[in-house]
Every structure is written in structure tokens, then in C-alpha cells.
Amino acid sequence: MRRFSLVLICCGGLAAGPSAADLAKAIAAAGFDADQCYRVRDLRFQREDVKVYLNEGYLIFSKPVEGAPRTALFTAELAGGDAEVIVLPPDRGERQSLAVFTKSANLDEHFDAAMMIFTNGAQDLVQRVRDDASTKKAPEVGAALAERWGPALENIRGGLETRVLVDMLGPAGNPGMLFLELQGRQLGDFDVIYDPLSRAQIEAGQLTERGGHPHYDVWTSFSARSVRTGAAPAPAPWFTLSDYRIEAALDDNLAMGATTRVTVRVGARPLRGFPFDISDAMHVTAAKIDGVPAELFSHDSVRGRALRGDDNNAFLVVAPEPLAAGSIHQFEFGHEGAVITPAGNNVFFVAARSSWYPRYGENWANYDLTFHYPKRLTLVTAGDQVSDSSEGETRTTRWRTPAPIRMEGFNLGDYQKVTGNAPGFRVDVYGNKSVESALIPKPSATVVITQFPPPAKTRQAGEMPPAAQIQLPPDPNGRLREVAADVSSSLEFFKSKFGPPALKTLTVSPIPGTFGQGFPGLVYLSTLAYLNPNQRPPGLRGEEHQVFFSELIEAHEVAHQWWGNVISASAYEDEWLLEALANYSALLWLEQKKGLKAVDAVLDTYRDHLLEKGSDGRTMDSAGPIIWGDRLDSSGVQGARRVITYEKGAWILHMLRRRMGDDRFLRMLAEMRRRYEFRSISTADFRGLVKEFAPPKFSAEAVDNFFDSWIYSSGIPALKLKYSVKGTAPAIRLSGTLTQSAVDDDFSAEVPVEIQFTRGAPQTVWVRTSSDGAAFSETLRHAPLRVAIGSGVLAKK
């Protein structure tokens, strides 16, 4: 998730300037300037949807860096002192999010103090203060404020140092970020951010702690007004990446040392500062541009990581001079670290699966990989293997991808291999030769009251002394061939429905844990999926778990070859779509394999999970709308993100399928794959596709209503059907009313009312619900045998 993003936007020209290290030193030395402290009244400023009112108080600026102050402090700690910030979220989902944390749908908070960071300088605010005749200088107060607030300034500014440098090394004309840390009178300390480089430019939130680690609660996050109205141009990246060449060596302890080379194309404006990120388990030791050493700046912080919402390290590569617009360069990185941990018995866990090498944003690139590793192990990755050699105890393999992919991962272990059977594809499925320590059953000792062991003279002939009851370890590859068959079958099935995946090779390999992950050409599959059902841990032998590990997880991760690896998400609020598509694709395959009843059973389980209540009486679904993505983890409902994203997401697609019909629904998915190949898709884009393929009776207004109720807000209705039948065949009149409860008044759903007859096919009437109830009527040729709410809607039983 990249809320507080380092993805850059083109904004102007660039001149050469000081190094990042020099700028960082200047920023650190630029404390508050007592001579630039003012008594202000009725001073207002605005950044898009963020409105700040400094009604009465003192305002002090920091000393200038590169000709402009980058920080200011306002305090209302005087008689009659006051200030206010107003942020009005533009849609229902964001208002709901804000209300979860603040108990109000709009942010209107008076505050006592504000630390303000202007990454490109506060010149406009300084000028307004100087032009206002009512302001008065207060250097004596300034000296006291500088002494009192200096440490706080260092703490906050240090946490944003890399982000500040991104703008200072960026093109001239970039409006820069405004970061406000506020001491609210009701809400306590919180932040308000305007960041034109982020996909969601407006954000309010709070730095908290969860599980002993810093965590950032995003209260609301949305596009700025100019972006929403189309007044601002669509963001364009400052540079793009292509053609990775990575050479990595793993020593006997599997520590990695690597050299990564990548082609960089500068965007529409000259550029000096290039931001990247990499796993915090890796350390970047050097950087070069076109073979010449370049400045490497890395000063990440706990606050910076919390704001970005990940555990990666952000760093900058700074060119000696601006690189020309449109120019192409070769960047080289040296990096090292430990991204592999042992799980016991020659089983390994690769932790930094997508961030073991430097990355920037979303880029589709070709990869040429060379790995050196202990010969006793097998290493797998995506693409075609072009060479394999050994020298001593070291094995070297080289791989190339035949087409651009979104990211590259690898896995390794002591493997057994089975080849799948999918015409037109190469499918290799690897399984561990041993089980990890966590899956070996613990011996259960027999309790003996008498002396242990009993004397030999008291034992009966042939009797063995009491001993621990030993269970044999599970067979790590009990289902290896079955997994290979399911992977091959689902791959063929999805190709027939959606078109070809990005690569014609697919490698499946095990990873310890209860999850899977589908990379381009490489699937990480839970080791539990390889075990026979009766050999899984006792807590994972129920029907629900058996369906997941034996029926769904393989197909779900294979489906990511399309959803996530041919098409990516535009932003974090769109990631639900790819997971929902992968999950529902797995259900389509399950339907092909075992029939519709098997799918209905899974969907019923999903419904139960969504309606399950926690100790506070809240249901999973009440945590928030599906578009919140990772923000659902901040809702206070444990496990909500997984259940809402994967399981409600599958229900959303199932409801669309029922409303659109199978043919239109599947043609829409195939067109999505074609139209957005190697591109990102947003929820708004998906809504446009639904409108394009919707049947005539599913109007554009009805589609908007569907998205508003099921995607941009939360709620699962309880439905009640009443009806009457009058008249005689062939003009029988069916009249009814459908009422809903347990949802907000503005919630509305398209509900199928199914009419069954003694003979012939059933008839479906679609009824749109409302808070006032929805009446419907239908003329029938035959008397109905049964009238009921159909299964194509997510509703309480």
C-alpha cells in the first residue's frame, strides 16, 4: 500500500543544485528564526480540499534553506488563541471512514498548535504575513518558541527528510507537499497532508502503535478537488524502468549479495533525484549512473515507513547533474542482506519476495537473472532457464523472461519436481522433500500412575513398556501430483475464459504458512496444500479448510497470472478488484469441477464470515467499504481486510454475474484482460466496463447504484418478501413487496425474485430495494409453484 507515495509527477524544469547530503545538513541546521515570529489574526490559507484558519496566535518560520523557509509553527497558546482545520471528504465511503476515528463525517477541528512542513517552501505564506498590516513581529516570543519547539521540529522533520528531498531535488514548479501535525482540542495529535505526488492527494490520519510497532491509521484519503473535476492533468511518472539485469549470489547461510542493473528512461522534464525502495532486510551499498558513481542518500525513519504503509526502505539516487528529459540511462546498484530464513528440515521461507531488489512504482520490465547458490538446493524463478552449470559446491543458473512482467521473485529448497500437463504451457510443480518443523506433530506422552517403566517381572509376555505415542510426520508431497493436475487444469480453464497469461511457463513452489502468492510465472503455494487432508494440523481439518487448501488456493494463485500480473491495480483502493477476481475465478473453476452447489456452499460460508460478530458486537462487514483495502486493518475489526477483500469481493462479482448473465459477464472479463494488458485498472474503470457490457435492463444508473452500495460503502441487508397471486391462466397477476432492514437508508440493491413453476424454466424478476420498500408486479402465463428471493444477492438469512 502506498498512501504516502514517492511516485513522482512531472511539474516543471530543473536546475543543478547542491547534493542531497548538503541539503539534508542545511535542513537539519535550519531551526526556527526568532526574528521571523509574528502575532497573526484571521490568517487563512488553503491547499485544494485542506482549509486552515489561523484565527489568533503566533506564527514562527524556520530559517531559509535554498532561499525559502521549509517549516513553520503556529501556536494558539494565548488568551483568545484559536485555529481551525477543515477537510470535507467528497464521498460516502470516506465520510464513513473519517467517522470511524473521529465520530464525525467531516473534519472540522480547532487546534492549539500546528507544525507545518512545506517541502517546496512557504514563500507564499511568508509574503501574506508581511503584507498583512494587522500582523506584528514578536521576536521575544519567537525566542521562547524556538527553544521550546526545536526538538519537536527535529523529530518531525527528520521523519520526513527523504520525502522533503524528493521535492527539493525535483523540477521547478512542483507545488510541493504540505504536512501538518496538529494538536487538536478534541482529537489529540493528528496529521493532515496535501501531497500532489500521491495518487490520493488529500489525507488525514494519526500515528499510533499496534502490536508493539508503529502503525498509521488513515482516517480519510481521497483525490484533490482539481483531480476529481479534471482541472488538473493526470499524473505522469518522472521516470520509468525496464530491462532488469540482476546477478545474485547466496552463500552457505543463504545471505545474499547482488548487483542490479536497470534501464531508466527520464520523463518529460530533466531530473536529478531518483527515489527507489527496497526491503528493510536489504542494504544498498553503492549506486552508479552510466558507470559513474552517483550519490546515494538513505535516511528512512519509523514515521516515514508508517506513513508509506510498508516495511521497505526508501532511498534516493542523485545524479551529479540533471539528466535530460527523455534520455535513457543505465543505473547500477550493489545491495546485500538476508531475505531467506530457515523453517527447519531444509525448508526455507523467502520473506522479501517482491522487494529484494530496488524498485520504483509500477513498471512492466524484462528480467535477465543470474543466481549463484549452494548446489544442494534448487532455485526457481519466473521465465525461461537459459543456462545451468556447477563449479565445486556452487550452482549457477540464468533465467530470462520472454515478455515484460510487473515484478520478479524467486524461491529455493530441497525439492521434488512433477511436470504438469497443460497444452501450450510448461508447468513445473515443486514440493519440499521434508516438512518444516512447525508441521511435525509433537509426541503425546501416555500418563502412567505406577512406576515408569514397570519392572520387567511385572510385565506380561510381549508387553512393551509405556512410551510416548509417536506420530509419523506428514508426507510433504502427499498431494504433489494432484496439485500439478489442478494447476494445469485451472490454467487451461482460465485461458479459455480470459485469454492467454503473460508467460507460457508457470512454476509452482512451496512456502511455509497458510497463504499463497501468485507472481508472474511463479506461484508460492502453502505447504499445507501439498499435504493429504488427514495429515494437516488438527485445527485445519474442517470442511472449510479442506476446501480452501485442496480446492481453491491453487486456482486462486494461478488466476493471479491474469489478475495482478497481466493487469495491475491503479492504487491501493483498487487492489480489492484483483483479489476478488482471483478468488471468484477459483470459484468458477470449482463450479466447472464440482458443480454450482459447491460454489453456493463456499459463498454461504463467506456470508457467515461477513456477518460474524466480534466481542464488541460489530460484524466483519461493518469494518468498512471494500475500497479501503489495507485501511480495513485500522478499523478495529480483526481479520476484516481479508474477509471483506477476498470473500465479499467474490460475492460482489457473483452478484454482477447473476445480474449481467454468464455470457456478458465472461465477455467483460476477457475484454478487461485484453484492454488493460500490462496496464493498471481502477475501480472507476471497472465500473465503466460493467456499464459497457450490462444488459439493457441493468441501466447505467443501476450500475452506479450497485457500486455505491456494495463497493463504496458497507452493509448487508435483511430482506423480506411478501406477495399475492390473483387471476387465472394465462393472465395471472403476481404482486409483491420487498423490504430491507439492517442497512443505511440510502442503501439499495438489485435483488432477484425467482418464480418457479410446475413445469418449465423459472422466471426471474429483478427488484431494486429502498428504505421505503419496493413494490413489483408481473403477469404470468402459469400459476407459480414457489416465489422466493433468489441466491444471487448477498443478504442476511
Side-chain angles (χ1 to χ4, degrees), residues 259-526:
T259 299
T260 292
R261 298 175 179 87
V262 63
T263 301
V264 174
R265 178 187 289 273
V266 181
R269 296 292 185 269
L271 185 61
R272 282 189 69 212
F274 296 79
F276 290 84
D277 62 49
I278 195 168
S279 165
D280 63 355
M282 296 294 287
H283 173 62
V284 180
T285 57
K288 294 180 180 179
I289 300 176
D290 297 328
V292 178
E295 183 184 12
L296 182 64
F297 183 89
S298 178
H299 185 195
D300 215 351
S301 66
V302 170
R303 188 183 193 94
R305 289 194 195 99
L307 284 165
R308 293 198 309 273
D310 61 38
D311 293 325
N312 293 334
N313 284 328
F315 66 94
L316 279 168
V317 177
V318 183
E321 299 289 338
L323 303 185
S327 59
I328 298 175
H329 305 271
Q330 302 302 313
F331 278 43
E332 179 180 313
F333 305 91
H335 50 105
E336 59 189 22
V339 297
I340 304 166
T341 56
N345 301 321
N346 239 15
V347 177
F348 302 97
F349 182 84
V350 179
R353 291 176 292 282
S354 62
S355 55
W356 58 279
Y357 60 96
R359 296 185 63 195
Y360 161 74
E362 290 288 342
N363 288 275
W364 305 87
N366 295 307
Y367 286 81
D368 186 328
L369 308 175
T370 300
F371 289 98
H372 311 279
Y373 52 95
K375 190 168 64 173
R376 70 181 188 276
L377 301 176
T378 298
L379 187 144
V380 296
T381 187
D384 300 327
Q385 185 173 325
V386 296
S387 67
D388 185 349
S389 62
S390 295
E391 182 175 344
E393 296 302 313
T394 299
R395 183 177 178 185
T396 299
T397 53
R398 188 176 181 184
W399 310 73
R400 290 196 189 114
T401 58
I405 59 176
R406 190 167 63 93
M407 57 187 172
E408 180 68 282
F410 72 92
N411 205 357
L412 83 167
D414 185 14
Y415 291 146
Q416 178 180 342
K417 172 185 169 183
V418 168
T419 300
N421 181 22
F425 297 94
R426 194 191 78 226
V427 179
D428 293 329
V429 180
Y430 293 83
N432 290 316
K433 293 180 180 179
S434 302
V435 294
E436 62 264 32
S437 299
L439 294 181
I440 297 178
K442 301 292 189 293
S444 55
T446 303
V447 178
V448 181
I449 304 299
T450 58
Q451 179 183 355
F452 181 81
K457 65 180 180 180
T458 66
R459 298 201 301 265
Q460 300 297 317
E463 180 186 355
M464 296 297 294
Q469 302 300 306
I470 304 297
Q471 293 182 339
L472 293 175
D475 179 357
N477 289 314
R479 295 187 66 249
L480 179 61
R481 295 190 179 279
E482 189 174 346
V483 168
D486 285 347
V487 167
S488 301
S489 175
S490 60
L491 184 67
E492 284 189 87
F493 176 75
F494 296 146
K495 177 183 179 295
S496 72
K497 300 298 182 185
F498 314 137
L503 301 178
K504 293 185 177 181
T505 61
L506 180 61
T507 299
V508 180
S509 59
I511 189 165
T514 59
F515 68 98
Q517 200 168 10
F519 278 32
L522 177 65
V523 166
Y524 298 91
L525 189 63
S526 168

Side-chain angles (χ1 to χ4, degrees), residues 573-721:
E573 60 264 30
D574 307 309
E575 290 172 358
W576 74 270
L577 178 58
L578 303 180
E579 293 297 347
L581 283 166
N583 215 31
Y584 195 67
S585 296
L587 291 181
L588 290 173
W589 181 72
L590 181 64
E591 180 180 338
Q592 169 83 3
K593 184 179 178 183
K594 292 198 169 182
L596 189 57
K597 286 186 177 180
V599 174
D600 288 340
V602 174
L603 291 172
D604 284 345
T605 300
Y606 289 173
R607 177 196 287 114
D608 293 343
H609 290 167
L610 288 162
L611 296 174
E612 185 178 306
K613 292 184 178 180
S615 57
D616 60 355
R618 295 177 62 191
T619 64
M620 282 282 185
D621 180 71
S622 69
I626 196 169
I627 58 165
W628 287 3
D630 287 347
R631 291 164 56 190
L632 290 165
D633 285 337
S634 301
S635 66
V637 181
Q638 188 174 4
R641 185 193 65 82
R642 182 190 63 79
V643 172
I644 291 174
T645 301
Y646 291 79
E647 300 184 4
K648 187 173 185 178
W651 258 109
I652 288 169
L653 294 172
H654 184 66
M655 289 188 288
L656 281 174
R657 174 191 174 190
R658 286 296 312 274
R659 189 65 187 90
M660 297 173 70
D662 284 8
D663 179 66
R664 289 175 180 270
F665 178 76
L666 292 173
R667 283 196 291 113
M668 177 188 71
L669 296 187
E671 174 61 18
M672 181 193 306
R673 179 253 176 270
R674 186 199 66 79
R675 189 178 301 180
Y676 290 92
E677 180 180 71
F678 305 147
R679 294 172 53 202
S680 61
I681 188 171
S682 69
T683 301
D685 294 330
F686 179 58
R687 177 168 56 182
L689 274 169
V690 173
K691 290 179 180 180
E692 184 178 332
F693 284 84
K697 291 186 178 181
F698 193 23
S699 66
E701 178 194 359
V703 172
D704 288 337
N705 176 78
F706 180 96
F707 274 69
D708 287 343
S709 294
W710 293 111
I711 296 170
Y712 293 110
S713 61
S714 60
I716 297 176
L719 301 174
K720 187 174 182 180
L721 174 66

Side-chain angles (χ1 to χ4, degrees), residues 750-761:
E750 296 261 331
V751 177
V753 175
E754 292 189 351
I755 308 166
Q756 297 180 354
F757 305 96
T758 305
R759 295 190 302 272

